[in-house]
């Protein structure tokens, strides 16, 4: 029942609902029958070796969950098989495939929680001395030590002993990372084990058991790896060093501290992520303090400075690592406080005197932490701290004040406020409970508003009252003193609430201190104050209800008769107030909505009534519906205004659009702007939203600019930016009038913002880059009004920035004033003038824009590339490229380059404007000019096969010949050293390995192909042609028979494009890419004379075929490459010694063909080629040896005049080739015989003059080959015999050799292969003079003509007569030889043998009786 679930799971895996249901079903079955489910999962994996990684991961995860939940119920044999399966899955691929291998590793970790010995037996088998283990073998050991501390620690000494030599062998960063991570986990496990020895299986384990191994590992990590350029590795090494410091011998740690601490502190400058560094530092400090280090004191100054710098860094609470870092820094201060309390306290309190905001905030954070965490140490320093805290109390920054409040809160809990000077801190809290509202909102998002600080102080005062019992006597009755002074009026509500709590507490406890001895004047003053508050209940943050409640709480102190009366009446008043407030809100909103609905059918009448009410006397009793809006006793004017505006908002929302158009400006918005100074925020917020919605709906509204500005100019300058967010989408509208109004509105808003800008501290105008990026492209808008307004916007933005930088309002900047000239030029509609002017504008922006704003500006310009107006999209590209040229070298760009390229890639997909596409190509070129390595690395990492837009990006890089040359040389250098493929076991059930391509060299080959498609790359290609050709030829050899990896894009940097289109992958061929790149190279180098014959002969397809590759590689370069060949040969020579056979085969085949042409002599590279061929004779690869022998033989054709120079070497090579034993197909022997034949045909060669000396040995070797099944070998051996026989005339020994093979030659005249027959005829004609019979010689010369047919029967009949007549003594030998051919594989040969022996016997008898 389980297998169908698995098949269903896999087939429907694209449906997440079905996937989850099937997964749950399998797990349910697994909980019931774990062995069976595990068996089925294993069986499925084994039977589907090519299962996609994602599906394998899901099944492995299922196994893990079953094992975790039912470990105790699984049989031991099944546990063993699961361990084996997981281990094999984890290490099947030599490359790291994280998702797959992590899933397998997790199974081992889950099993290891119970069966640790079995797991270690399996894992340690793959963790052998002297051999670098698989990445996930180390990772699994690390995770095991984390999950099963007591099981793993006993193994760690041995594991580290094996690991230490591996550390020195490790070169790759990912392996260094995993070893460092493992050492960190091991150290943490050991420390946990030692901390819980009472639970440990072996309580005799001591820290010094591991000290030696830990220090050896520390030596490598600290002295080598921590200097890595890879930040992730540096951080992991630092983390490991921190954990390891606890296990180092005390003397070693003491010795290393002067170097270790500065190194760790130095990492802060090299890494943006600081948490790991601080954590490591904290562990080292803890270890040092625990052992009583004396050296630590010498480092204290540097430590305090670095830690203080860290504590002063802003904390982003949405980013957990920054929060963790902050907490670790505080922990460091705690550790140092325990050892150096005086020095630390002096340091912190001195920093409090510094008025710098960040500095003071950091110091206050440390002080607060020390007060809370180091109570005993701080006890003697309370008075000193109380004296020092006075200075920050006077700070004007709300951020600092917030930290001060936090410190005061901590001091309150530890008895500081009861001491002399504590009352000042209480007063500080009450003062800030009375803060006014913040009307001008700060642009800094981190700024603490008055409202936020006031709320914090309210809460702090409440906490003092409720949670700090010791403060009760301090606060009571002191808080009463702050009720009546006018400066604390806004603090009445929190003061009353605290006093009520204190009074009730003391009253309930019947404490004598509850009764206050008021003098008559004070009591009268207090009573009047509270009663007046109750009369105006909604003022001062609603102080009415708390004042009434306090009166009730204080009643025993006021008069004995007041208590029963007030306890009865005051609760009723409070209930009435509560209902009144709720009713007021409901009524106001209801009235406004009702009036809005009236306007939907009676707009004119409604507007008249609203206007009439707006002009009325607000204190006069009104009649009609508007009477509901008035309080008969006292009218709150602010609320009246707010309600009136809300009514107008609903009118604008509900009124008919055709009627609203004529009334919105004069009757609605004008009246709104008159009254838009209300302070009542609960009404303002919905008003703003409704009102602005009504504006957006009315698209053809005629004066939106004027009204919006009027709207903003009342009190809410912060709304400028808020409104801009609404306007932003209209800036690129397809309608001219909408764009014009949007830009003009923005210009007016910016002018208002500039006029009302008040800068107290130098801060950054964070929105500058975004605003300029949105507005700059509009400077070339088709509408001239838009162009001029856009320039006005930028002009004002530049001056806003100057104001933020501290310049005065009347300051004039020459470069910014230049924008006015640009504005005039934009009146000219000519495109060329516009773009030139646009370039001038960019130079001004580039000069004035702060460095940190550039990235934001660029990304906004990227959006502008797809603007609805082609003019503006082109302008975006012009501005973008000008900025990149002028400012692109800044370091701020480096980390953004990959993201920029990705955005450009996305834009290419939607841009239809060809001119903009060309400009994007130029952007990529500029980025590459400035950040070449980053650009190349990023583009290489794009998913394969490259989509059309990635190809366009690579082609763009070919447009600049200088840059293209640099990139090509860079890629060539990397291709020459990178691993082209890896051997992988495709299946556990099938033997043998499969060649699987590595991604990066494949990507680089694709990159070269695309770059060379750009015609402008011709100069670069011509310059680097020899290197490029050599590299691609070797790459071609490395690609034959190589498969694509299943996880083709596992290392892609573009996570959302890792899944490639299956159709594209089907057409994507590793070897095809290399062949295509080579073909494009030859075409770009204008070698059409080479390309044409290759096309005609189908050489490109042959190159891709493993069986015909060497044939295809024998290119016609020799005829046409000319002067390029020496450099090509020089570039290819190193590959002949490469470890990859395929590369040696390709290069040897190429060199072999070159030797077939005389040009190698003309170019003086013959010696180089011959020497290389001689060396390859002893190559371990048979194919290379065969090709080398062929090349040596080719010298007789290509450079015959040079044969004598190499006579001895050629003779030795051919002799060796014919004697080759490791030659299953006899191909080396064939080439040796063919090569020897070519050489012997040369009449003047030294070898020809040595012919007789060669006869015997070579004749014997060639005769052996006569009966080979390979037609070519038979043909070559027979031809070689014929050529050798030229030198055998008159030599008895050679005559005997000819008679020995005569029968074979005669029988092979009927060979089924025509070429063998021709070879026999040729050899027998050449051998004829040596046979020793004039009649036979004449027969051979007359009848054995190559193109003439032969009647075999008659020929043999006549020949037999002469054999019997001339060589009667050889007849017996002939008979014995012929009989051997009766077993021939060829029927024709067997028939000829029968005919030959029949004729011989008949004629022999005939002659015998004749005698």
């Amino acid at each position: 029942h389980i297998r169908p679930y698995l098949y269903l799971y896999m087939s429907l895996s694209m449906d997440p609902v079905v996937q989850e249901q099937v997964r749950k079903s399998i797990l349910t079955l697994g909980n019931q029958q774990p062995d069976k489910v595990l068996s089925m999962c294993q069986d499925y994996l084994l039977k589907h070796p090519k299962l996609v990684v994602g599906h394998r991961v899901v099944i492995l995860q299922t196994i893990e969950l079953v094992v975790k939940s039912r470990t105790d119920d699984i049989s031991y044999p099944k546990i063993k098989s699961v361990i084996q399966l997981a281990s094999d899955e984890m290490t099947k691929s030599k490359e790291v495939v994280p998702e797959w291998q992590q899933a397998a590793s997790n199974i081992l970790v889950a099993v290891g929680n119970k069966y640790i010995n079995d797991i270690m037996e399996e894992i340690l088998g793959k963790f052998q001395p002297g051999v670098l283990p698989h990445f996930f073998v180390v990772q699994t050991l690390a995770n095991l030590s984390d999950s099963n501390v007591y099981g793993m620690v006993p193994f760690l000494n041995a594991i580290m002993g094996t690991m230490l030599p591996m550390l020195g062998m490790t070169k790759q960063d990912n392996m260094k990372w995993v070893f460092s991570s493992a050492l960190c986990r091991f150290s943490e496990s050991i420390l946990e084990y030692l901390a819980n020895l009472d639970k440990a299986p072996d309580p005799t384990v001591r820290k010094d058991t591991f000290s030696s191994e830990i220090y050896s590992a520390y030596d490598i990590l600290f002295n080598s790896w921590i200097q890595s350029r890879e930040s992730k590795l540096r951080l992991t090494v630092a983390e490991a060093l921190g954990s390891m410091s606890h296990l180092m011998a005390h003397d070693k740690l003491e010795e290393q501290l002067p170097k270790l601490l500065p190194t760790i502190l130095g990492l802060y400058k090299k890494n943006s992520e600081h948490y790991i560094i601080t954590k490591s530092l904290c562990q080292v400090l803890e270890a040092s303090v625990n052992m009583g280090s004396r050296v630590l004191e010498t480092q204290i100054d540097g430590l305090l400075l670095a830690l203080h710098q860290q504590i002063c860094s802003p904390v982003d609470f949405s980013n957990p690592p920054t929060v963790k870092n902050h907490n670790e820094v505080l922990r460091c201060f705690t550790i140092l406080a325990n050892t150096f309390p005086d020095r630390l306290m002096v340091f912190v309190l001195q920093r409090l005197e510094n008025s710098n905001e960040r500095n003071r905030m950091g110091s206050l954070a440390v002080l607060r932490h020390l007060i809370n965490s180091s109570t005993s140490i701080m006890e003697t320093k309370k008075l000193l701290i109380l004296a020092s805290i006075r200075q920050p109390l006077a700070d004007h920054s709300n951020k600092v004040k917030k930290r001060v409040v936090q410190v005061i809160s901590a001091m309150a809990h530890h008895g500081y406020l009861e001491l002399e000077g504590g009352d000042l801190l209480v007063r500080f809290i009450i003062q800030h409970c009375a803060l006014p509202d913040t009307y001008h909102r700060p642009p800094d998002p981190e700024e603490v508003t008055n409202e936020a600080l006031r709320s914090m102080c309210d809460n702090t005062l409440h906490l003092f009252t409720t949670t700090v019992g010791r403060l009760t006597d301090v606060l009571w009755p002191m808080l009463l003193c702050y009720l009546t002074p006018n400066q604390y009026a806004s603090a009445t509500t929190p003061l009353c609430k605290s006093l009520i709590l204190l009074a009730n507490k003391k009253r309930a406890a019947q404490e004598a201190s509850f009764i206050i001895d008021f003098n008559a004047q004070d009591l009268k003053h207090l009573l009047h104050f509270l009663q007046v508050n109750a009369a105006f209940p909604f003022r001062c943050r609603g102080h009415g209800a708390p004042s009434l409640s306090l009166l009730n709480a204080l009643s025993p102190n006021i008069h004995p008769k007041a208590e029963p009366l007030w306890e009865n009446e005051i609760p009723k008043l409070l209930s009435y107030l509560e209902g009144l407030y709720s009713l007021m809100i409901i009524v106001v909103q209801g009235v406004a909505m009702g009036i809005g609905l009236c306007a939907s059918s009676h707009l004119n009448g409604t507007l008249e009534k609203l206007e009439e009410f707006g002009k009325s006397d607000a204190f006069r009793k009104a009649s009609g519906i508007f009477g509901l809006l008035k309080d008969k006793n006292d009218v709150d004017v602010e609320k009246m205004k707010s309600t009136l505006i809300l009514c107008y908002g609903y009118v604008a929302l509900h009124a008919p659009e055709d009627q609203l158009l004529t009334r919105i400006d004069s009757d609605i918005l004008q009246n709104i702007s008159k009254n838009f100074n209300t302070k009542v925020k609960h009404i303002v917020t919905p008003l703003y939203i409704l009102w602005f919605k009504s504006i957006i709906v009315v698209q053809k509204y005629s004066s939106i600019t004027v009204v919006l500005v009027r709207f903003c100019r009342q009190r809410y300058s912060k709304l400028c930016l808020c409104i801009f967010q609404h306007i932003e989408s209209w800036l690129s509208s397809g309608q001219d009038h909408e764009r014009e109004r949007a830009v003009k509105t923005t210009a007016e808003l910016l002018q208002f913002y500039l006029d009302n800008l008040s800068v107290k501290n130098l801060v950054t105008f964070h929105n500058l880059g975004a605003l300029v990026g949105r507005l700059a492209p509009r400077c070339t808008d088709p509408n001239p009004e838009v162009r001029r307004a856009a320039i006005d916007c930028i002009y004002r933005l530049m001056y806003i920035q100057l104001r933020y930088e501290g310049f005065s309002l009347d300051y004039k900047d020459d470069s910014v004033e230049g924008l006015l000239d640009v504005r005039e030029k934009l009146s000219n509609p000519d495109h060329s003038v516009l773009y030139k002017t646009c370039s001038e504008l960019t130079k001004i922006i580039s000069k004035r824009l702060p460095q940190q704003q550039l990235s934001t500006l660029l990304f906004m310009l990227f959006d502008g590339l797809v603007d609805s107006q082609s003019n503006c999209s082109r302008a975006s590209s012009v501005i973008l490229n000008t900025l990149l040229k002028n400012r692109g070298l800044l370091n701020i760009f480096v980390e953004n380059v990959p993201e920029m390229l990705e955005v450009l890639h996305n834009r290419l997909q939607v841009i239809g404007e060809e001119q903009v596409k060309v400009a994007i190509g130029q952007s990529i070129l500029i980025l590459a000019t400035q950040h070449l390595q980053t650009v190349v690395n990023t583009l290489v990492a794009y998913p394969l096969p490259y989509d059309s837009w990635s190809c366009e990006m690579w082609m763009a890089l070919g447009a600049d010949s200088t840059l293209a040359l640099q990139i090509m040389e860079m890629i060539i250098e990397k291709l020459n050293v990178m691993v082209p493929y890896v051997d992988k076991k495709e299946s556990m059930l099938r033997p043998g390995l499969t060649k699987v391509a590595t991604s990066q060299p494949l990507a680089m080959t694709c990159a070269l192909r695309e770059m060379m498609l750009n015609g402008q790359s011709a100069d670069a290609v011509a310059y680097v042609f020899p290197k490029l050709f050599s590299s691609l030829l070797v790459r071609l050899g490395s690609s034959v028979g190589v498969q694509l990896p299943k996880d083709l894009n596992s290392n892609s940097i573009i996570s959302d494009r890792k899944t490639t289109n299956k159709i594209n992958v089907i057409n994507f061929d590793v070897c095809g890419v290399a062949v295509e790149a080579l073909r494009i190279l030859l075409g770009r180098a204008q070698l059409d004379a080479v390309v044409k014959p290759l096309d005609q002969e189908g050489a490109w397809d042959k190159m891709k075929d493993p069986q015909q590759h060497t044939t295809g590689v024998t290119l016609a370069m020799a005829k046409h490459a000319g002067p390029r060949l020496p450099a090509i040969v020089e570039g290819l020579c190193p590959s002949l010694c490469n470890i990859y056979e395929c590369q040696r085969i390709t290069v040897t085949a190429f060199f072999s063909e070159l030797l077939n042409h005389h040009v190698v002599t003309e170019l003086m590279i013959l010696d180089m080629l011959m020497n290389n061929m001689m060396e390859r004779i002893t190559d371990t690869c048979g194919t290379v040896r065969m090709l080398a022998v062929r090349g040596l033989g080719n010298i007789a054709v290509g450079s015959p005049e040079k044969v004598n120079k190499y006579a001895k070497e050629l003779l030795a090579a051919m002799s060796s080739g014919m004697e080759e034993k490791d030659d299953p197909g006899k191909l080396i022997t064939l080439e040796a015989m063919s090569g020897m034949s070519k050489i012997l045909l040369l009449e003047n060669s030294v070898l020809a003059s040595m012919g007789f000396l060669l006869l015997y040995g070579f004749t014997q070797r060639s005769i052996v080959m006569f009966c080979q099944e390979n037609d070519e070998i038979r043909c070559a051996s027979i031809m070689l015999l014929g050529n050798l026989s030229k030198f055998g005339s008159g030599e008895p020994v050679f005559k005997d050799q000819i008679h020995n093979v005569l029968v074979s030659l005669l029988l092979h005249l009927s060979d089924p292969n025509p070429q063998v027959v021709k070879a026999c005829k040729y050899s027998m004609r050449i051998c004829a003079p040596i046979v020793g019979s004039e009649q036979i010689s004449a027969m051979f010369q007359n009848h054995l003509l190559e193109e003439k047919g032969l009647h075999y029967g008659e020929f043999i009949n006549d020949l037999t007569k002469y054999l019997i007549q001339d060589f009667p003594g050889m007849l017996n030998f002939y008979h014995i030889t012929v009989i051997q051919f009766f077993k021939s594989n060829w029927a024709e040969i067997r028939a000829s043998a029968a005919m030959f022996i029949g004729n011989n016997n008949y004629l022999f008898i005939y002659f015998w009786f004749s005698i």
Side-chain angles (χ1 to χ4, degrees), residues 845-888:
I845 294 172
S846 177
K847 182 178 179 181
R848 291 301 330 157
L849 197 74
Q851 180 174 318
Q852 63 271 23
Q853 296 281 315
L854 284 172
S855 295
T856 306
L857 171 58
L858 287 177
F859 283 102
M860 288 296 178
L861 291 171
F862 290 148
D863 290 342
L865 295 172
V866 291
D867 195 280
S868 61
Q869 304 298 313
S870 59
N871 273 18
C872 296
S873 60
R874 293 172 190 169
S876 294
S877 65
V878 171
I879 298 169
L880 175 65
N881 289 340
T882 307
L883 275 173
L884 288 175
K885 284 178 183 176
N886 293 343
R887 305 286 291 274

Side-chain angles (χ1 to χ4, degrees), residues 819-843:
L819 289 171
L820 299 178
D821 296 332
V822 172
R823 188 179 190 275
E824 296 305 316
K825 294 178 183 178
L826 289 178
S827 302
N828 191 330
D830 183 79
H831 286 182
S832 59
V833 175
L834 286 179
Y835 296 136
K836 184 179 179 182
T837 308
C838 195
S839 184
E840 294 176 19
L841 165 67
T842 310
K843 290 175 183 176

